[in-house]
Amino acid sequence: MEGAIARWYAGLTKKSLDEFTALARRVSETLPAGSRVLEIAPGPGYFAIELAKRGEYRITGLDISGTMVQLARTHAAEANCVIDFQHGDAAHMPFEGRTFDYIMCRAAFKNFTQPVRALEEMYRVLKPGGQAVIIDLRRNASQESIHTAVAQMKLGRVNAFVTRQTFRFILLRRAYTKSDFAQMIAQTKFHAVEMREDSIGLEITLTK
């Protein structure tokens, strides 16, 4: 996602800033000060920025989109937050092993071209005892639940229509089921796995 499309997406997701704020608050309640945090595919950087406001964390963001990296850097500077946003691929992370205490990957895993490799990289860069959390759409979410979720975004009429169609014809087709994730995780060294479902998504916690 580059150029004008990336900027449109950044503007659209900003309307859900309350969700990023709530997630950052929840994470900060259990994450010790000084933790090294990696957000994979942070997009415009909203979660990383909200987390940076809530604790003394060393936060890095890694995104394959050059446009998103530039947007995230701009947003962090505007918020007076020090976050290291870098350009890179989740399947080939430019980090030493055992670097991070915590990894967040929200609404992006379904887009990875090498999902198992990305999981293996998460394991490699986590410190022993560290956790990786993946939050994403699940493929078997109902159309009714998708419509309800989009309505809660409080988008304009045109953006709401485009978002519903994007869910139906693109995102759901790329998404995974709980069983799909279990099969992929089984190919990695992760053994401590927790999966939770909600109306449209999955939250998966992996502990090294």
Side-chain angles (χ1 to χ4, degrees):
M1 192 181 296
E2 299 285 0
I5 294 176
R7 289 188 286 273
W8 170 81
Y9 178 82
L12 186 69
T13 54
K14 191 172 184 179
K15 297 179 184 296
S16 301
L17 190 59
D18 287 349
E19 293 182 22
F20 294 103
T21 301
L23 180 59
R25 184 183 301 114
R26 177 159 67 92
V27 171
S28 68
E29 288 173 354
T30 59
L31 196 61
S35 295
R36 291 205 62 177
V37 178
L38 171 64
E39 185 178 8
I40 301 173
Y46 300 136
F47 167 76
I49 291 168
E50 291 304 309
L51 183 63
K53 292 176 181 178
R54 284 165 173 74
E56 296 297 322
Y57 306 119
R58 293 174 291 171
I59 304 174
T60 299
L62 184 72
D63 205 295
I64 201 167
S65 165
T67 302
M68 286 299 189
V69 172
Q70 291 302 319
L71 287 170
R73 288 172 178 171
T74 298
H75 293 156
E78 292 172 348
N80 294 315
C81 293
V82 177
I83 302 171
D84 179 22
F85 289 108
Q86 299 184 27
H87 183 258
D89 187 347
H92 305 279
M93 297 190 202
F95 310 117
E96 297 292 330
R98 301 187 175 192
T99 296
F100 298 99
D101 300 287
Y102 186 87
I103 294 174
M104 171 62 70
C105 180
R106 180 188 180 279
F109 192 88
K110 61 185 170 296
N111 299 319
F112 294 167
T113 57
Q114 297 177 272
V116 175
R117 176 64 178 162
L119 288 170
E120 291 172 341
E121 281 290 86
M122 291 181 196
Y123 185 90
R124 181 182 67 81
V125 303
L126 274 175
K127 296 178 182 178
Q131 288 189 328
V133 175
I134 300 169
I135 300 173
D136 216 325
L137 184 67
R138 57 183 173 88
R139 194 172 64 225
N140 51 359
S142 69
Q143 288 299 315
E144 181 181 359
S145 63
I146 294 295
H147 279 245
T148 299
V150 173
Q152 292 172 347
M153 295 178 187
K154 299 180 180 179
L155 306 174
R157 184 176 179 179
V158 173
N159 279 335
F161 174 79
V162 172
T163 301
R164 286 194 299 271
Q165 299 307 302
T166 301
F167 269 108
R168 181 178 179 182
F169 294 108
I170 300 176
L171 301 182
L172 280 174
R173 295 179 181 182
R174 293 178 179 174
Y176 299 106
T177 64
K178 187 175 180 180
S179 176
D180 292 332
F181 268 108
Q183 291 177 24
M184 289 188 288
I185 294 166
Q187 299 177 56
T188 74
K189 295 181 180 179
F190 282 113
H191 296 295
V193 181
E194 178 184 348
M195 297 190 193
R196 294 187 295 172
E197 292 185 345
D198 61 24
S199 60
I200 66 170
L202 283 167
E203 181 170 326
I204 300 166
T205 302
L206 307 169
T207 303
K208 181 171 180 176

